[in-house]
Amino acid sequence: PGPDNYNRMEAPAQNQAANGHSHDDPGHLTDVNIHSQAEAQVGHNSKENAFEDEFEDGKMPKFKISYPFLLGCCLTAALGSLLLGYDLGIISGAIVPIKEEFDLSGGEVEILTSSITLASILGSFVAGTVADKFGRKKGLLSAAVIFLIGSIGMASSPNFEALISWRFFTGIGVGMGLVICPMYCAELAPRHIRGSMTSFNEMFINVGIPLAFLVNLLLAGLPNDWRWMLLSGALPALGLFVTTIFLPESPRWLLRSGDREKAAAIVENLVHKDEPADLKTKVVKQTIVDMNHDFEGEKITWGDLLFRSDRRTLLIGMTFAFIQQVIGTDAILFYSVYTYEQYGITENTALLLTLVMGLIKLFTTILTSVIVDFP
């Protein structure tokens, strides 16, 4: 379509007759239709450009967050991290009876405790591929199923070799949950509270530890107590699976997959119901624009990651994460009951002491999550 279309529409009736056209002429109607379609396309493009222009400054309007929705989603996802904490605590109480039943050496006890941690490394690599291809929600469901099956397998192990195999299998689910949980929380939470929402990952690891210590205390002394301890891990895994069924998908993943309408609907649920409709619309549009801009900046290489200008910040963060593990915090948790008993402390007292230790760890984590986003 070009200027001729406009001329035809604006020409007087006599000119149309002179040119052999009338209002009933199919050729004339075709020209008008073409012109209308072109006009509609121009209008659509103008709206898209106006949309980008209106929100390209990146300023998110202030709004009240619907905390019941946000916290419900983040707490559900955080159950994936609880699985690791729960296993750390459970194996601490189960080591002694397992060692006695299978007559394990010191080296075999070390393999028993470390196998799930080693497997979680593999699970963390698998998690990224699963979460990107199938979604964060399906990734969490997969982690729950693996941990559920693994807990049943560990509890029914007839020998040490089978127990190690099932612990390795379970560790894959643990690693997946550890990666996908903070990923989901970060993608859902508004930027100004993203730090506290992603801290649920560490918080729920430390919820799982004292919870498992308490279960150990209650089950200690029963026939086949270590089997009941390991089987109890199926309960939080089942809880994660059931609650994740009702969990909305990450809006970021939906947008990346081309489902903009569903992504916008989930973002709108983050805005408090009392906020005006026009504000909700602005928040949704700005969030979508921000995510699209993030996608444009994601095409980086390992070289960009390791040698970019802010690599100092990256290295500091990685160093803290490394030090946190290398000082042996997990080893203390693994061998706490075993170590107490070596010094003549009874099993129940040792379990009670580890419960107190876990509660202190949980308190400091909660304190951190509260202050992490303060200016």
Side-chain angles (χ1 to χ4, degrees):
D4 289 342
N5 292 7
Y6 293 94
N7 293 335
R8 289 192 186 98
M9 294 182 66
E10 295 171 0
Q14 60 269 28
N15 290 344
Q16 293 178 13
N19 292 327
H21 292 291
S22 68
H23 289 293
D24 296 328
D25 182 12
H28 172 70
L29 293 175
T30 301
D31 290 338
V32 173
N33 289 340
I34 294 173
H35 169 70
S36 300
Q37 292 174 7
E39 202 171 37
Q41 182 63 40
V42 171
H44 174 74
N45 293 338
S46 298
K47 288 180 180 178
E48 289 293 323
N49 293 336
F51 172 81
E52 294 291 338
D53 292 341
E54 181 180 357
F55 295 98
E56 67 181 359
D57 58 3
K59 293 181 180 178
M60 176 68 70
K62 293 183 179 180
F63 65 97
K64 288 192 297 183
I65 298 172
S66 177
Y67 279 103
F69 175 77
L70 176 60
L71 291 176
C73 293
C74 289
L75 291 175
T76 297
L79 290 175
S81 299
L82 182 142
L83 300 180
L84 173 61
Y86 195 87
D87 183 82
L88 289 174
I90 282 293
I91 198 62
S92 175
I95 284 178
V96 174
I98 291 175
K99 182 177 184 296
E100 293 174 354
E101 180 164 335
F102 293 137
D103 191 24
L104 302 181
S105 65
E108 288 172 326
V109 170
E110 293 171 3
I111 294 174
L112 173 67
T113 57
S114 62
S115 55
I116 200 166
T117 306
L118 292 173
S120 68
I121 298 175
L122 175 61
S124 65
F125 283 109
V126 172
T129 301
V130 172
D132 284 342
K133 187 172 183 179
F134 302 105
R136 292 25 172 165
K137 180 176 178 177
K138 290 182 179 178
L140 285 172
L141 288 171
S142 301
V145 170
I146 292 173
F147 199 94
L148 176 62
I149 296 173
S151 297
I152 297 173
M154 288 188 294
S156 58
S157 298
N159 51 52
F160 176 68
E161 290 75 16
L163 178 58
I164 294 300
S165 299
W166 280 114
R167 280 188 65 75
F168 194 90
F169 176 81
T170 306
I172 296 175
V174 170
M176 291 178 63
L178 282 175
V179 171
I180 299 175
C181 164
M183 181 190 302
Y184 179 89
C185 294
E187 292 181 349
L188 184 68
R191 289 185 177 182
H192 64 284
I193 59 169
R194 194 165 291 168
S196 58
M197 292 298 104
T198 54
S199 69
F200 282 153
N201 178 53
E202 184 68 22
M203 184 190 302
F204 267 66
I205 293 175
N206 292 298
V207 168
I209 291 171
L211 179 61
F213 287 158
L214 178 60
V215 171
N216 286 339
L217 188 61
L218 295 174
L219 297 177
L222 295 177
N224 295 314
D225 52 359
W226 69 267
R227 295 185 185 274
W228 289 110
M229 291 175 182
L230 295 179
L231 181 61
S232 68
L235 293 178
L238 182 61
L240 172 63
F241 182 85
V242 173
T243 54
T244 302
I245 291 175
F246 305 98
L247 192 70
E249 182 55 84
S250 160
R252 184 184 182 90
W253 185 83
L254 288 171
L255 183 63
R256 200 171 196 175
S257 301
D259 200 338
R260 179 169 172 166
E261 290 185 3
K262 285 186 179 180
I266 294 171
V267 173
E268 185 174 350
N269 287 333
L270 290 170
V271 184
H272 196 277
K273 62 181 181 179
D274 294 336
E275 294 286 39
D278 60 334
L279 178 59
K280 289 184 179 180
T281 301
K282 289 181 179 179
V283 171
V284 171
K285 288 183 176 180
Q286 182 60 62
T287 303
I288 297 297
V289 169
D290 287 345
M291 285 192 288
N292 281 327
H293 287 173
D294 290 341
F295 294 154
E296 294 173 1
E298 284 182 350
K299 298 176 181 179
I300 60 174
T301 64
W302 281 102
D304 296 328
L305 182 64
L306 297 175
F307 301 106
R308 60 186 184 182
S309 58
D310 59 344
R311 62 183 178 275
R312 179 180 178 184
T313 305
L314 175 66
L315 290 175
I316 290 174
M318 292 176 63
T319 301
F320 272 111
F322 175 77
I323 292 175
Q324 184 184 27
Q325 297 301 315
V326 79
I327 60 176
T329 301
D330 288 349
I332 294 173
L333 294 173
F334 280 142
Y335 296 105
S336 55
V337 176
Y338 182 79
T339 303
Y340 284 136
E341 290 194 357
Q342 297 300 306
Y343 285 91
I345 298 175
T346 62
E347 182 180 5
N348 283 344
T349 302
L351 290 170
L352 184 60
L353 289 172
T354 55
L355 175 60
V356 173
M357 180 175 64
L359 291 173
I360 293 172
K361 198 170 187 295
L362 174 60
F363 170 76
T364 55
T365 306
I366 293 175
L367 179 63
T368 301
S369 67
V370 171
I371 66 175
V372 67
D373 282 321
F374 282 4

